[in-house]
């Protein structure tokens, strides 16, 4: 577009130049004709002046002729009578050297003019002059000036056009440069890493959006300021920056720990040297790897739990064998002692010299029968606990089946009752359990072991919180009811512990969040529980709590599989609509 405009400007200028030149030539021709006529008129006047002198053949008026020659630029003036004899001849002012050169060049043309000398209407001779047309020189000079003027105008026009073209190109290049810088800055701002550019003196030259979020300083506020003033925790890295610039090799610091909001966070710090085109400096990249480290810890913890689960299952199997022997022996003892009149008992009593009635009396007196009954009851309870442990520790294949919610709750309570901590003087059996189950509870489709895992996590957390708070009468209230209109089963686990603040309540289901001291809790139990209920079962898990008023965890699960499928379909439709 700019090129087209330049071509149009030049074309218009050339047309105007041609038009002006043609007009000037027409004017020059017209004016030369007028000059010639004026010169002829003056020569006619001279002819009239000398006519009477020539008629009388008196001495020529040389003074007049000389004056006329000088005033009219005549090179020569010659008067001839009618017999072709020279009457008078006068030479004008001698031309200068410059005039002679210009005359030879044709710039000062000499024109021969002739006018008849008449007296009383008779031609008595003629006057001839060599007239130097100085007007031609003036107009040639004017033309030269015009040519120079137009050449200058043409030069300045092209200079102006070149200036405008250069300005346009500079604007385009500047716009391209700004667009490139904007794209580069957009790329840098979209990166999740903190990117900071510094010069060898430690002043900031680059600052991306993530750096703004972490430090709280805007780019305009951070640029050209010392690194230690804006991002203090990287100030000790300046030695690495200088080393990286000097050696032209990057420097990497892995898994650097730091405290943030009373939590230990981890980050990788990489220093990239910039040594090119005479510009020295470095780019510092800071990657937050806290989640990655926590995930590694979670994987390690999961592996530990799998190992513990396998160990527990193996121990349960090992316990079952002697337990079966104990219970079988106790049953045999009970059978032999209760049926005292059988032949084998009588023979044994006779051999030692006592009667069977005395043996029975002794057993009853010493409570042996009650002891045997207690052995059988304890063995049966241990068998139930071992069976629950095996069911809970057994690897699940994510098979959904129908379960009775009350039985799920009761079986996991039996397992939770074995939880005991000698150091903390903590025994789950000392906690009062209040059951408020709705009658005729329906079966629910779920993964029983996973739902029990969620319940166990909530029970253990609540029990530990009540013990640590020093509650004299720790108590759980367990409620199970149905929400017919919503098609959901509602399970509530309420304790009378210390409760939670709003901040803790808002973060209670976040991965790795824990209120316990380091090394005690991983912060994964409730987050995994939340995932099991919301993702695996399409239910909800929430908590209501206030400081000093305990906590109430509410689990809501779909009552039927078709309800679960309908909820999944609705979520798919919502996802499709949002995309």
């Amino acid at each position: 577009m700019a090129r087209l405009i330049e071509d149009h400007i030049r074309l218009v200028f050339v047309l105007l130049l041609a038009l002006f030149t043609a007009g000037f030539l027409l004017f020059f021709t017209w004016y030369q004709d007028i000059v010639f006529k004026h010169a002829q008129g003056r020569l006619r006047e001279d002819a009239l002046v000398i006519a009477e002198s020539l008629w009388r053949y008196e001495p020529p008026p040389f003074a007049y002729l000389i004056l006329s020659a000088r005033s009219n630029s005549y090179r020569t003036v010659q008067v001839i009578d009618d017999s072709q004899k020279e009457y008078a001849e006068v030479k004008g002012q001698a031309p200068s050297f410059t005039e002679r050169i210009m005359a030879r060049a044709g710039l000062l043309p000499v024109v021969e003019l002739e006018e008849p000398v008449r007296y009383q209407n008779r031609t008595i001779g003629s006057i001839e002059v060599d007239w130097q047309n100085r007007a031609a020189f003036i107009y040639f000079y004017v033309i030269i000036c015009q040519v120079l003027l137009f050449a200058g105008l043409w030069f300045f026009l092209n200079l102006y056009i070149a200036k405008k073209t250069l300005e346009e190109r500079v604007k385009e290049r500047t716009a391209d440069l700004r667009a490139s810088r904007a794209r580069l800055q957009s790329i840098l701002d979209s990166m999740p890493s903190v990117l900071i550019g510094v010069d060898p003196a430690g002043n900031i030259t680059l600052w991306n959006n993530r750096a703004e979020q972490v430090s709280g300083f805007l780019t305009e506020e951070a640029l050209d300021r010392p690194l230690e003033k804006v991002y203090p925790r990287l100030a000790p890295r300046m030695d690495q920056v200088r080393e990286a610039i000097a050696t032209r090799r990057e420097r990497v610091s892995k898994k650097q720990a730091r405290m943030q909001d009373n939590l230990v966070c981890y980050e990788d710090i990489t220093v990239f040297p910039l040594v090119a085109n005479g510009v020295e400096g470095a780019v510092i990249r800071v990657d937050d790897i806290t989640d990655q480290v926590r995930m590694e810890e979670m994987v390690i913890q999961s592996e530990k739990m799998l190992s513990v689960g396998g160990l527990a299952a193996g121990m349960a199997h090992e316990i079952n064998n002697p337990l079966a022997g104990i219970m079988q022996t106790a049953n045999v003892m009970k059978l032999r002692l209760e049926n005292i009149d059988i032949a084998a008992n009588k023979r044994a009593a006779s051999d030692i010299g006592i009667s069977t009635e005395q043996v029975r009396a002794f057993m009853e007196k010493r409570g042996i029968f009650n002891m045997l009954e207690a052995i059988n009851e304890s063995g049966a309870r241990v068998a139930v606990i071992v069976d629950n442990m095996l069911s809970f520790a057994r690897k699940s294949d994510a098979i959904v089946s129908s379960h009775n919610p009350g039985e799920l709750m009761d079986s996991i309570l039996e397992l939770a009752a074995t939880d005991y901590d000698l150091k903390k003087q903590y025994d789950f059996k000392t906690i009062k359990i209040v059951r408020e189950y709705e009658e005729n509870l329906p079966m629910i489709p779920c993964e029983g072991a996973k739902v029990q895992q969620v319940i166990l996590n909530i029970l253990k957390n609540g029990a530990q919180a009540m013990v640590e708070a020093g509650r004299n009468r720790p108590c759980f209230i367990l409620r199970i009811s149905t929400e017919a209109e919503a098609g959901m089963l509602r399970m509530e686990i309420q304790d009378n512990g210390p409760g939670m603040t709003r901040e803790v309540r808002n973060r209670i289901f976040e991965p790795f969040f824990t209120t316990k001291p380091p090394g005690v809790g991983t912060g994964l139990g409730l987050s995994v529980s939340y995932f099991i209920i919301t993702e695996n079962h399409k239910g909800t898990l929430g908590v209501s709590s206030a400081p000093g008023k305990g906590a109430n965890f509410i689990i809501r699960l779909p009552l039927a599989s078709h309800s679960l499928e309908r909820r999944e379909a609705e979520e798919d439709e919502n996802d499709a609509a949002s995309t």
Side-chain angles (χ1 to χ4, degrees):
M1 186 63 184
R3 182 66 179 175
L4 183 62
I5 294 175
E6 294 172 12
D7 294 339
H8 285 173
I9 292 175
R10 289 193 177 94
L11 178 61
V12 171
F13 183 83
V14 171
L15 291 176
L16 289 176
L17 179 61
L19 182 63
F20 185 83
T21 303
F24 180 79
L25 291 176
L26 290 175
F27 172 78
F28 178 73
T29 303
W30 171 78
Y31 190 71
Q32 281 292 98
D33 185 61
I34 292 178
V35 170
F36 273 108
K37 288 181 179 180
H38 182 67
Q40 197 72 37
R42 287 180 298 181
L43 187 62
R44 193 176 297 115
E45 292 175 356
D46 294 338
L48 290 176
V49 171
I50 68 173
E52 186 174 355
S53 299
L54 180 61
W55 172 259
R56 295 176 181 177
Y57 228 77
E58 297 176 352
F62 287 107
Y64 175 79
L65 292 176
I66 293 173
L67 180 62
S68 178
R70 290 182 177 180
S71 61
N72 294 321
S73 300
Y74 295 151
R75 299 284 293 275
T76 61
V77 180
Q78 188 178 20
V79 182
I80 301 174
D81 60 13
D82 56 353
S83 61
Q84 301 298 317
K85 291 183 179 179
E86 183 179 277
Y87 170 67
E89 183 176 5
V90 175
K91 292 186 180 293
Q93 186 177 358
S96 64
F97 175 77
T98 303
E99 289 178 338
R100 288 197 301 271
I101 296 298
M102 296 183 71
R104 289 177 182 177
L107 300 180
L108 287 176
V110 179
V111 182
E112 294 181 357
L113 298 178
E114 183 180 356
E115 183 66 28
V117 179
R118 298 176 66 84
Y119 186 77
Q120 295 180 355
N121 294 327
R122 289 179 63 185
T123 302
I124 61 175
S126 63
I127 181 172
E128 298 177 356
V129 299
D130 291 335
W131 173 56
Q132 194 171 33
N133 188 1
R134 292 183 178 274
F137 169 71
I138 294 173
Y139 285 103
F140 176 77
Y141 179 75
V142 172
I143 289 175
I144 294 298
C145 291
Q146 289 176 346
V147 170
L148 293 176
L149 175 63
F150 280 105
L153 291 176
W154 179 259
F155 172 75
F156 284 109
L157 175 64
N158 282 277
L159 186 63
Y160 174 77
I161 293 175
K163 176 177 175 293
K164 286 295 183 183
T165 303
L166 183 60
E167 288 178 353
E168 290 295 329
R169 290 180 179 176
V170 169
K171 288 181 181 179
E172 292 177 0
R173 297 290 176 85
T174 302
D176 293 341
L177 181 60
R178 288 176 179 172
S180 299
R181 291 187 64 180
R183 284 194 296 270
L184 178 60
Q185 189 64 38
S186 178
I187 293 172
L188 296 177
D189 288 340
S190 64
M191 295 183 68
S193 304
V194 173
L195 291 176
I196 303 174
V198 294
D199 59 18
N203 296 321
I204 295 173
T205 59
L206 174 67
W207 193 259
N208 74 337
N209 188 51
R210 182 58 182 165
E212 290 183 356
Q213 296 173 0
V214 173
S215 67
F217 286 92
L218 298 177
T219 302
E220 297 77 11
E221 299 171 342
L223 292 179
D224 299 325
R225 293 185 62 184
L227 180 64
E228 61 269 13
K229 300 293 184 182
V230 183
Y231 212 95
R233 72 169 182 262
L234 287 183
R237 303 291 171 183
M238 282 308 301
D239 291 339
Q240 287 185 344
V241 172
R242 297 185 184 94
E243 183 181 355
I245 296 174
T247 60
R248 299 190 179 186
R249 297 180 62 184
E250 66 181 49
R251 291 291 180 266
V252 181
S253 300
K254 292 287 190 179
K255 203 175 179 180
Q256 300 297 303
R258 61 181 178 85
M259 294 299 296
Q260 180 177 348
D261 298 332
N262 295 324
L263 297 176
V264 180
C265 299
Y266 300 91
E267 56 191 15
D268 287 345
I269 302 175
T270 307
V271 180
F272 299 95
L274 296 177
V275 183
N277 300 324
V279 178
E280 291 189 350
V283 174
I284 305 174
R285 188 183 76 189
V286 181
D287 297 304
D288 190 341
I289 60 168
T290 303
D291 291 343
Q292 178 183 341
V293 173
R294 297 285 172 77
M295 190 62 67
E296 293 173 356
E297 293 176 354
M298 185 174 69
V299 171
I300 295 173
Q301 186 70 16
S302 177
E303 292 295 331
K304 287 183 179 179
M305 293 302 295
L306 287 175
S307 300
V308 171
L311 181 61
M315 291 177 62
H317 281 294
E318 293 298 326
I319 291 173
N320 269 338
N321 293 328
L323 180 63
I326 292 171
M327 293 182 65
Q328 183 178 5
T329 302
N331 284 327
V332 171
M333 289 177 62
K334 181 179 179 182
L335 179 62
R336 290 184 179 182
L337 292 175
E338 285 181 346
N339 298 325
I340 197 69
D341 293 330
I342 60 177
N345 287 344
K346 289 182 177 181
R347 284 195 302 271
S350 176
D351 291 340
I352 59 177
I354 60 174
S355 66
T356 55
E357 288 77 8
Q358 290 175 327
V359 173
R360 181 189 296 274
F362 174 79
M363 294 295 179
E364 290 177 352
K365 189 70 173 177
R366 296 295 298 165
I368 300 300
F369 295 114
N370 292 333
M371 292 180 183
L372 291 175
E373 187 65 29
I375 290 174
N376 282 327
E377 289 179 359
S378 298
R381 188 178 178 196
V382 171
V384 171
I385 292 172
V386 170
D387 186 59
N388 288 336
M389 186 182 298
L390 283 173
S391 299
F392 187 74
R394 189 177 296 118
K395 183 179 178 181
S396 173
D397 293 327
I399 298 176
V400 176
S401 58
S402 296
H403 294 272
N404 185 297
E407 292 179 358
L408 285 176
M409 184 74 78
D410 290 339
S411 63
I412 203 63
L413 277 172
E414 298 242 351
L415 185 58
T418 62
D419 193 13
Y420 177 76
D421 192 328
L422 182 61
K423 292 182 179 179
K424 297 182 179 180
Q425 301 293 320
Y426 157 62
D427 188 353
F428 193 91
K429 296 186 185 70
T430 62
I431 300 175
K432 181 181 179 181
I433 305 296
V434 178
R435 294 176 174 84
E436 297 180 0
Y437 298 172
E438 185 180 294
E439 294 183 359
N440 301 320
L441 289 172
M443 304 288 283
I444 57 171
C446 65
E447 299 177 52
K450 289 187 176 180
V451 173
Q452 286 182 320
Q453 178 182 350
V454 173
I455 298 172
L456 181 60
N457 282 334
I458 296 174
L459 289 173
K460 291 187 66 175
N461 286 340
Q464 293 173 4
M466 287 187 289
V467 171
E468 290 175 359
R471 291 291 187 264
N472 294 326
R473 297 178 180 178
C475 176
F476 277 118
I477 301 177
L478 310 178
R479 303 183 183 93
I480 304 178
S481 60
T482 56
E483 299 176 359
E485 294 182 0
M488 305 289 285
L489 178 83
R490 182 185 183 96
M491 306 174 72
E492 297 184 32
I493 304 174
Q494 181 178 352
D495 62 50
N496 61 347
M500 291 178 277
T501 62
R502 181 179 180 182
E503 291 76 14
V504 173
R505 189 173 67 250
N506 290 337
R507 300 185 60 189
I508 194 66
F509 298 115
E510 290 183 10
F512 307 108
F513 176 78
T514 178
T515 58
K516 299 174 183 177
V520 177
T522 62
L524 294 174
L526 289 178
S527 64
V528 172
S529 299
Y530 186 84
F531 182 86
I532 290 172
I533 296 300
T534 58
E535 296 296 328
N536 292 1
H537 293 83
K538 304 303 176 183
T540 63
L541 175 59
V543 61
S544 60
S545 178
K549 296 184 179 180
N552 185 22
F553 285 85
I554 302 172
I555 303 171
R556 299 172 70 247
L557 298 171
L559 281 173
S561 59
H562 65 83
S563 174
L564 180 61
E565 294 172 358
R566 184 171 63 252
R567 287 168 60 86
E568 292 178 347
E570 290 176 355
E571 291 183 359
D572 293 340
E573 291 177 0
N574 293 334
D575 293 341
S578 62
T579 55

